[in-house]
Amino acid sequence: MFVFLAVPALVPAQDAEPEDLLDRIKARVKESLHQLPDYVCDQTVQRWRTAGEGKPWDRQDTLRLEVSLIGGQEAYGWSGGGRLGDKDLAGLIGRGSVGTGSFALHASNVFSGAPGYIFVGDVTLADGRKAIRYDFEVGKDRSAYRLRVPPKEAIVPYHGAFWIHPETLDLIKLTVETDEIPPDLPVAAISDTVEYARVAIGDSQFLLPKAAEFLLIGSEGEKSRNITQFESCRQYRAESKLIFDGHAVESQPQTTDSPAAGITLPSRTIIELALDSSINPEEAAVGGEVRALVARPLKDGNRLLVPAGTAVTGRLTRLDREDLPFPHYVVAFEFHTLATQGGPLTFSATMVDAEGKGVMRVQKRFMPAFDKRRRAPAMSILVREQQNGQGVIHWDARQGQMPKNLRMKWEIH
């Protein structure tokens, strides 16, 4: 069931505001933000969408990511991918509605900027906790909220509220809603709600986001809802590679005697893979690991480069359910690492073919042939996209899971 926690309009103060309370709250939140070590958390996002009011909510997909706060900046990467900040979140995900700021930047902007604050007073939250509530407004001249619907974007003002623990003055919850969205952007409203809790990192406790809910309402009434959980937060370590604006900040130590340095995969070579385990589209998550095995030995002339049975790892990069011409999934993934005897070998390839019952075959036009009894063969569809470095399979949802040993051919770059 969908529940939208709308932020009401700013209301007059209920009680007299205690002297210097706001100053103490702002100082406490700023202190909590400044004390944070460079850290990274696992982020799971369930994305839902509906065509409009009264229409059912459909699950779009689930994303598994890593998100970090390094040097005061949010950076994103696939879970376990080892590269943070290589792309912004929209570039990483590629489709659908996504929002940034809930991890750290909303709180930093609200408590470090200069919004107009209104004291509401003591309130009781839905779970019975007592809290102090303030409302706030941030005008366009002070806003850092960038709304982007490519190719257009705009800085928009926003308003919201925050709830504070009355004893510790810790931030409990923060809501942000956009205002005055330009008419040339196909968005009617956006809201973001973030909940906070104390989390242990090493031997210390830090105030971190634990959950967030992002809601976007389109100009035609369509809605997108993202529900996010932050878990397994830990201090950032240099094994992961962090990139901002194309420049590496920290990277894994490089060695000259890489264990797989003696192997080179010739470009345009075809490597045949078979899934090492089944994939259940109903439960799989974008960003989740995918494993396969080399189905045939890969050779360069008479030289064996990669023997059959070599393990290959990759990840899901897309998982959409579509209902026309009949229920099917658009599943995209990439493979990036071979577990060779000499050590892990990274590579890049694009899928050129896939075989198996349930794979909707690709053909240049949608025009099935018929036999003498006017029976059509298995349905084929036109795939309109070619993704360099990935493979896209249209999978018949009536077949259930994509089975273990599903065969694919990939061309090495």
Side-chain angles (χ1 to χ4, degrees), residues 170-407:
D170 277 349
L171 179 61
I172 297 174
K173 185 168 70 170
L174 171 68
T175 64
V176 173
E177 284 197 351
T178 56
D179 296 315
E180 301 176 21
I181 298 174
D184 58 342
L185 291 175
V187 177
I190 292 178
S191 69
D192 212 348
T193 300
V194 188
E195 297 183 2
Y196 297 83
R198 288 277 165 179
V199 176
I201 298 181
D203 297 328
S204 301
Q205 294 278 332
F206 298 95
L207 186 67
L208 296 174
K210 67 174 183 178
E213 180 176 325
F214 173 85
L215 177 71
L216 183 148
I217 303 176
S219 56
E220 300 296 325
E222 69 281 9
K223 299 179 182 179
S224 298
R225 180 189 182 210
N226 298 351
I227 300 175
T228 299
Q229 296 290 328
F230 300 101
E231 300 174 307
S232 303
C233 297
R234 62 271 185 198
Q235 193 158 1
Y236 179 80
R237 298 178 299 178
E239 293 90 67
S240 296
K241 188 172 185 180
L242 180 70
I243 299 175
F244 285 119
D245 299 325
H247 300 288
V249 176
E250 295 184 54
S251 61
Q252 186 176 0
Q254 301 294 316
T255 58
T256 57
D257 54 344
S258 173
I263 300 178
T264 300
L265 302 181
S267 61
R268 305 187 67 83
T269 299
I270 299 298
I271 183 169
E272 297 190 32
L273 306 178
L275 288 181
D276 192 31
S277 60
S278 61
I279 298 175
N280 185 349
E282 289 288 341
E283 300 177 356
V286 176
E289 184 178 85
V290 178
R291 296 180 62 86
L293 299 176
V294 175
R296 289 187 179 182
L298 183 62
K299 297 182 177 181
D300 183 10
N302 293 325
R303 182 190 177 203
L304 178 64
L305 297 177
V306 182
T310 299
V312 187
T313 56
R315 72 184 68 258
L316 283 172
T317 57
R318 179 182 174 189
L319 185 54
D320 295 338
R321 181 182 172 92
E322 299 184 357
D323 294 322
L324 295 174
F326 50 79
H328 67 280
Y329 291 94
V330 182
V331 184
F333 36 77
E334 62 182 18
F335 288 101
H336 51 70
T337 305
L338 285 158
T340 70
Q341 292 184 348
L345 175 65
T346 59
F347 70 101
S348 177
T350 297
M351 191 183 74
V352 294
D353 195 18
E355 300 176 359
K357 185 179 180 181
V359 175
M360 300 170 67
R361 303 295 301 169
V362 177
Q363 60 183 33
K364 293 183 179 180
R365 56 181 180 173
F366 183 71
M367 188 179 294
F370 293 85
D371 63 16
K372 293 181 179 180
R373 296 183 181 181
R374 301 296 297 170
R375 293 178 302 188
M379 182 68 72
S380 297
I381 66 169
L382 171 65
V383 176
R384 299 180 177 86
E385 58 185 311
Q386 294 292 331
Q387 297 202 28
N388 190 35
Q390 299 186 34
V392 180
I393 291 179
H394 288 243
W395 178 257
D396 188 343
R398 298 170 297 185
Q399 298 297 325
Q401 300 186 22
M402 301 178 71
K404 179 179 179 179
N405 294 325
L406 185 143
R407 299 287 285 265

Side-chain angles (χ1 to χ4, degrees), residues 44-62:
T44 301
V45 185
Q46 291 187 350
R47 301 200 294 179
W48 299 77
R49 60 189 173 190
T50 179
E53 197 68 34
K55 301 294 179 63
W57 283 89
D58 297 318
R59 185 173 72 92
Q60 180 180 2
D61 54 27
T62 300

